Amino acid sequence: GAVVSQHPSRVICKSGTSVKIECRSLDFQATTMFWYRQFPKQSLMLMATSNEGSKATYEQGVEKDKFLINHASLTLSTLTVTSAHPEDSSFYICSARRQGYEQYFGPGTRLTVT
Amino acid sequence: KQEVTQIPAALSVPEGENLVLNCSFTDSAIYNLQWFRQDPGKGLTSLLLIQSSQREQTSGRLNASLDKSSGRSTLYIAASQPGDSATYLCAVNTDKLIFGTGTRLQVFP
């Protein structure tokens, strides 16, 4: 149990376009979902925390108007990178947590902006 | 501000060696500490989770210890194998996970 999926696994887009990444908890209801970003050979950096039905809480330095997070249901959160630029190219990983349990991580999405 | 550091940053060893990976954190007010494995281009695999009240956890050839008062955790890998080659990340839970800098491990035959 406790499987988290992400879609797509890889995406290439042109500079200036927007990209949506989905994160789903497949066999449990996630009260909280987290979005992380990982640059090459670096560790994971938390971008934002979202609770179902509430606005996301963004970490310092993360532009909330650029990285739109929606957590409309207990099994789905989406991250939209708006007006993407090459510097947004990164590995984006989500995780999901149900009340009182640990976080379960998705397989990640590789975003390349050309 | 919680900071998590891992030493060494990289390690290359012949198979069969016993290994110790280190993780240190600056604020001892944590709920738990978790060790993960990450293969290149992949997501995270949880290895061990130690609650703040625990001293150690074991799973197969892996043993993780936690000394909360000194802000340290170690991951011990016994009889390393080439399949253990990956990046190992520790993360402390303060209601959100703060990840360490990682240790890239290579075990060669």
Side-chain angles (χ1 to χ4, degrees), chain A residues 36 38 43-44 91 93-95 103-108, chain B residues 35-39 42-47 87-89 91 97 99:
Chain A
Y36 297 83
Q38 185 179 34
S43 193
L44 276 75
F91 193 53
I93 302 178
C94 73
S95 69
Q103 291 183 37
Y104 301 99
F105 285 81
Chain B
W35 283 92
F36 295 89
R37 168 187 173 136
Q38 185 177 32
D39 292 287
K42 304 294 184 182
L44 303 180
T45 300
S46 179
L47 299 174
T87 295
Y88 290 80
L89 296 165
L97 287 179
F99 282 84

Side-chain angles (χ1 to χ4, degrees), chain B residues 2-3 6-7 13 16-17 28-30 35-36 38-40 46 50 56 58 61 65 73 81 90-91 105:
Chain B
Q2 179 74 268
E3 293 185 1
Q6 291 184 244
I7 295 173
V13 300
E17 283 203 4
S28 62
I30 65 172
W35 283 92
F36 295 89
Q38 185 177 32
D39 292 287
S46 179
I50 312 175
E56 65 178 330
T58 298
R61 294 183 294 110
S65 66
S73 175
Q81 303 171 356
C90 70
L105 172 64

